């Protein structure tokens, strides 16, 4: 029979189809467990079983046919309402699906049915079908640790189902492409070369763009393809650890590039495993906490601004941030001082550190240990980011933000010392050109560091030529400045380049393995003129800016064991302000969101000396730094009272962020930005001051931003918005 | 039985080198190179070989030969390898010589340094010595660029093989 012409095609079709049916059998069985007695689901299950049975019989795979037949018997009785599909029967049916999957794999490899004895499974099916008799088969044999069908995934995934309409469009476009080529060839060899070349190449341009778009579309796959394996995984995991967990899927038809869909399988599996294992509590615990006994894990996907957002949230115990901090200190990853300074959001990010995940101590806390670094590494490798939010007692949400596709990206071409570099547009925020006069005004140079004032915002500047080691750290301001404002993760910074060119769609190619250690590059590409250009990595460049917000990754090198922080880590950029007549305070630049001059007319005075400013349609709580330093809230009223009678018409406000709240710190003048060695010479007991030091030959107090805010508005930092 | 091996020869500085022709993919006239700031000095840059991006190694630097004025029209010898092609910048291309494996003499004991680790042996030609290079040692022995903790680029290149 194997020699019959067309046999291969028949087999291929059979395998593809049967796999899909087995997948659907499994999914339907799981749904049936949730809503037993649904006739529609039963009918669907019947159809799948019957189709597989039929084709198996036709092709002579009698064992598989027999299995499907027994399952049909069992279902027939269920359909006649002789019994409901309880957990045991569901497990039996799932075991059947596994057996069928194994058989299909064997058939694909050898063309023959495996010589496996299915009698145990048949007995189980028969036992389950015996309506009134209690089930003979004991507890189902445990499914081996990992997902049993992981191996087969590669076989299926190397093939792709594509909409025929899409292929037709592609075919049409190919026809146009050939015509365009012919025209160009004619132009090149014809009597008047060049005459029609412009129109012909324009046509070629249009067609190529369209082809590219359509080809990209054929690669798009619904994320549900990764997800269809998850209901089963959650079921097994939950049963395994004595929990009850419901998996909700939202937006499974959201489309994503095939490579990405596959690359996401592992991170999502890790996250799910963690959610079930550590996130969701046992039914007893949940009842004690007044939650429904069945935990809920939600997977969601949606498109937002050119990115795909994947969310995974559970309604479990949440992560104990305080414990995370403690463990980080215990493990020597951070000093207790650094740990205390970390915001909750930053502290949560610690769970992604490699050293963090493997330690037993950490996995036994509220979990979220194992494999978290794998999750982050994988997601970052495909150009995505991971965020985590957790509320203790209410659950944890992970958000993965992934680009739609990777292979071809729009990029801005810039030059630096005669070389061209490509900057992916995804990280591009704006392009700024400063005339020499503007450059001298808006760019402040402090030793080797430059800072740009852009609409009241302070942006650290990275000089590309100096980063790459081909130019000085401080370019000549008299030539003006060409700046590209980049967004890398949470950080915004300006990249100082020599000139800006066109935008171009580039094909990203990996860097040679010996060059992969260079963090400023994300790859290389071939430009339109055939020259190679390096692709700059905004993340990598941004890391060079080095700020407090990145303390965890800065202090501990990823691969190496924890070492003493390098000297430059204790350096910090600070904003120098004047308070009162003589006082100077330093505010960590990392805490500063914006600098504003607010007219006094925008300021509201509340009872008790509270001041609020109308700011971008919201009310911004104000804290007068001078009064904090002079002692407590009582001084505020007095001071603001006094100030109201002065000639002052506006306030210099440093807007700082605290989790999701913004607070304005009122100072008398903003003086400068400096990079300082944070070596506080004296611990003070004064509220709002961490210590003092000498900056630019002046004694300066280092402001404790949290402390200062707490002194005036204790309620703001206690939690949530005012 | 005499095993003849075809060696592609080329000049770097004042020395004549040879490489097994099985490993040589092609010879390039000086291609435009894109330099890679931050890369080890042995890396001459990247070049575009019919759409493939190929790294180029400055063989003179790699072999730690005295820095001389490399000709501006320095040709490249492109090696094939499991991880894609790698190009070597040399001074001039020589002949292809069939030589007996058995005639390959071990390296002189007093030869030290980088050169020793990258040579398989020497052939004594009538008028000069031919130094036979190991392609793997030249390419794989290269120190990885800047020992920064392996960063993850924020975009992913199209993988070479499907996952």
């Amino acid at each position: 029979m194997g020699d019959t012409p067309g046999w291969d095609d028949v087999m291929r079709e059979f395998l593809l189809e049967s796999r899909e049916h087995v997948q659907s059998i499994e999914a339907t069985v799981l749904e049936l467990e949730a809503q037993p007695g649904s006739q529609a689901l039963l009918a669907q299950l019947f159809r799948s079983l019957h189709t597989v049975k039929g084709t198996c019989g036709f092709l002579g795979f009698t064992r598989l046919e027999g299995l499907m037949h027994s399952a049909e018997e069992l279902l027939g009785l269920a359909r006649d309402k002789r019994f409901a599909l309880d957990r045991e029967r569901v497990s039996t049916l799932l075991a059947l699906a596994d057996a069928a999957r194994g058989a299909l794999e064997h058939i694909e490899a050898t063309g023959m049915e495996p010589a496996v004895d299915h009698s145990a499974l048949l007995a189980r099916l028969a036992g389950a079908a015996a309506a009134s008799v209690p089930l003979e088969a004991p507890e189902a044999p445990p499914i081996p640790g990992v997902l049993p069908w992981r191996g087969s995934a590669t076989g299926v995934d190397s093939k792709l189902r594509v909409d025929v309409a899409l292929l037709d469009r592609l075919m049409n476009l190919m026809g146009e492409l050939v015509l365009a080529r012919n025209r160009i060839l004619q132009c090149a060899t014809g009597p008047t070369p060049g005459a029609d070349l412009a129109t012909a190449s324009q046509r070629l341009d249009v067609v190529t763009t369209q082809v590219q778009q359509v080809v990209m579309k054929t690669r798009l796959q619904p994320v549900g393809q990764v997800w269809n394996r998850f209901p089963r995984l959650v079921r097994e995991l939950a049963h395994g650890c004595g929990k009850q967990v419901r998996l909700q899927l939202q937006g499974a038809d959201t489309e994503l590039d095939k490579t990405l869909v596959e690359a996401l399988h592992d991170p999502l599996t890790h996250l799910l495993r963690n959610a079930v294992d550590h996130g969701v509590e046992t039914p007893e615990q949940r009842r004690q906490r007044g939650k429904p006994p069945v935990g809920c894990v939600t997977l969601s996907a949606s498109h937002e601004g050119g990115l795909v957002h994947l969310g995974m949230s559970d309604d479990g115990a949440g992560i104990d941030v305080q414990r995370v901090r403690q463990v980080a200190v215990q493990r020597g990853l951070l000093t207790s001082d650094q740990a205390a300074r970390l915001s909750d959001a930053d502290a949560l990010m610690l769970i992604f550190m490699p050293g963090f995940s493997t330690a037993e101590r950490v996995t036994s806390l509220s979990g979220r240990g194992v494999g978290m670094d794998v999750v982050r590494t994988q997601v970052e490798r495909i150009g995505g980011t991971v965020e985590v939010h957790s509320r203790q007692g209410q659950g944890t949400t992970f958000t993965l933000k992934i680009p739609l596709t990777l292979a071809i990206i729009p990029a801005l071409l810039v030059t630096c010392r005669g070389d061209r570099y490509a900057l992916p547009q995804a990280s591009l925020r704006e392009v700024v050109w400063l005339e020499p006069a503007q450059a001298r005004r808006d760019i402040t140079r402090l030793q080797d560091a430059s800072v740009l004032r852009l609409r009241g915002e302070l942006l650290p500047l990275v000089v590309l030529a100096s980063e790459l080691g081909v130019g000085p750290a401080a370019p000549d301001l008299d030539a003006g400045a060409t700046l590209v404002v980049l967004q890398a993760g949470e950080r915004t910074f300006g990249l100082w380049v020599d000139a800006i060119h066109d935008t171009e769609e580039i094909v990203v190619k990996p860097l040679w393995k010996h060059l992969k250690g260079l963090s400023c590059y994300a790859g290389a590409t071939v430009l339109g003129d055939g020259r190679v250009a390096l692709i700059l990595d905004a993340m990598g460049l941004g890391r060079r800016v080095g700020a407090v917000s990145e303390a965890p990754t800065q202090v501990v090198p990823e691969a190496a064991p924890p070492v003493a922080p390098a000297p430059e880590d204790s350096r910090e950029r600070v904003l120098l302000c004047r308070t009162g007549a003589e006082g100077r305070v330093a505010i960590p630049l990392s805490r500063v969101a914006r600098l504003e001059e607010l007219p006094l007319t925008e300021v509201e005075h509340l009872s008790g000396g509270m001041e609020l400013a109308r700011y971008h349609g919201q009310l911004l709580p104000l804290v007068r730094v001078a009064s904090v330093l002079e002692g407590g809230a009582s001084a505020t009223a007095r001071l603001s009272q006094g100030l109201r009678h002065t000639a002052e018409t506006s306030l210099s406000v440093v807007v700082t962020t605290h989790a999701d709240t913004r607070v304005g710190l009122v100072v008398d003048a903003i003086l400068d930005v400096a990079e300082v060695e944070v070596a506080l010479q004296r611990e003070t007991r004064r509220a709002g001051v961490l210590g003092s030091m000498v900056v630019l030959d002046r004694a300066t107090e280092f402001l404790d931003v949290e402390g200062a805010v707490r002194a005036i508005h204790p309620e703001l930092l206690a939690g949530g918005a005012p | 039985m005499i095993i003849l091996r075809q060696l592609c020869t080329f000049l770097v500085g004042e020395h004549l080198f040879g490489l097994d022709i099985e490993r040589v993919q092609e010879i390039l006239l000086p291609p435009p190179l894109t330099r890679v700031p931050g890369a080890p000095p042995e890396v001459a840059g990247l070049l575009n070989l019919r759409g493939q991006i190929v790294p180029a190694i400055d063989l003179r630097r790699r072999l730690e030969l005295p820095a001389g004025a490399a000709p501006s029209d320095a040709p490249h010898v492109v090696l094939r390898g499991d991880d894609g092609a790698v190009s070597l910048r040399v001074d001039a291309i020589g002949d292809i010589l069939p030589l007996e494996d058995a005639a390959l003499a071990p390296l002189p004991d007093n030869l030290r340094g980088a050169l020793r680790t990258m040579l398989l042996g020497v052939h004594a030609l009538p008028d000069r010595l031919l130094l036979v290079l190991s392609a793997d040692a030249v390419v794989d022995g290269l120190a990885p660029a800047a020992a920064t903790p392996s960063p993850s680029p924020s975009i992913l290149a199209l993988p070479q093989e499907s996952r």
Side-chain angles (χ1 to χ4, degrees), chain B:
Chain B
M1 196 177 98
I2 296 170
I3 302 170
L4 282 182
R5 194 177 290 276
Q6 307 264 357
L7 291 179
C8 168
T9 68
F10 45 84
L11 281 168
V12 183
E14 51 198 27
H15 302 291
L16 183 67
F17 290 93
L19 263 171
D20 189 346
I21 205 158
E22 297 281 310
R23 288 297 301 273
V24 176
Q25 177 179 314
E26 60 190 291
I27 306 290
L28 292 179
L29 293 176
L33 281 182
T34 299
R35 64 174 170 166
V36 184
E42 298 94 326
V43 177
L46 300 174
L47 59 94
N48 170 16
L49 183 63
R50 299 182 293 278
Q52 294 280 2
I53 294 175
V54 173
I57 294 178
D58 184 337
L59 199 55
R60 181 191 294 269
R61 283 234 169 91
R62 180 76 184 105
L63 298 174
E64 293 175 12
L65 297 177
S72 58
D73 58 345
H76 284 236
V77 178
V78 181
L79 305 179
R80 64 183 57 148
D82 296 336
D83 298 320
V86 176
S87 162
L88 305 178
R89 181 158 76 184
V90 301
D91 289 354
I93 302 290
D95 294 327
I96 290 173
L97 301 176
L99 287 168
E100 242 180 276
D101 262 7
L104 189 70
L107 297 173
D109 285 342
N110 56 356
L111 181 65
R112 288 194 201 87
L115 207 49
R116 182 172 191 96
T117 61
M118 283 177 268
L119 289 182
L120 294 172
V122 292
H123 277 292
L125 300 184
D127 53 340
R128 67 195 305 178
L129 280 185
L130 171 64
L131 311 174
V132 182
L133 281 171
S134 152
D136 289 331
V138 169
V139 175
D140 293 339
L142 196 67
T148 45
S150 78
S152 354
S154 58
I155 52 173
L156 176 75
L158 196 61
Q160 295 293 313
E161 67 280 297
S162 67
R163 294 168 46 91

Side-chain angles (χ1 to χ4, degrees), chain A residues 382-412:
Chain A
I382 57 173
T385 55
V386 189
E387 285 167 24
V388 50
H389 297 279
S390 184
R391 294 207 112 169
Q392 223 178 321
Q394 295 179 27
T396 309
T397 302
F398 288 89
T399 312
L400 318 186
K401 295 179 182 168
I402 316 278
L404 258 177
T405 182
L406 299 167
I408 301 182
I409 55 170
L412 179 73

Side-chain angles (χ1 to χ4, degrees), chain A residues 628-648:
Chain A
V628 173
L629 299 184
E630 277 175 26
S634 58
T636 321
R638 186 160 37 84
L639 233 125
S640 62
Q641 202 69 33
L643 280 173
R644 238 187 293 177
H645 299 296
T646 65
E648 197 178 5

Side-chain angles (χ1 to χ4, degrees), chain A residues 338 341 543 546-548 550-557 563-573 675-678:
Chain A
Q338 288 170 320
R341 280 212 329 244
R543 254 178 234 136
V548 168
E550 245 209 344
T553 40
Q554 286 276 310
V555 175
V556 189
V563 291
E568 61 262 42
D569 285 329
S570 62
R571 295 186 75 78
E572 194 169 332
R573 294 210 175 132
E675 187 171 275
V676 296
E677 191 89 32
V678 182

Side-chain angles (χ1 to χ4, degrees), chain A residues 452-459 592-596 653 670:
Chain A
L452 168 74
R453 277 173 223 234
L454 182 65
R455 296 186 296 271
E457 206 176 347
L458 282 179
L459 286 181
V592 176
R594 292 182 85 87
L595 303 179
E596 299 283 355
V653 177
I670 292 164

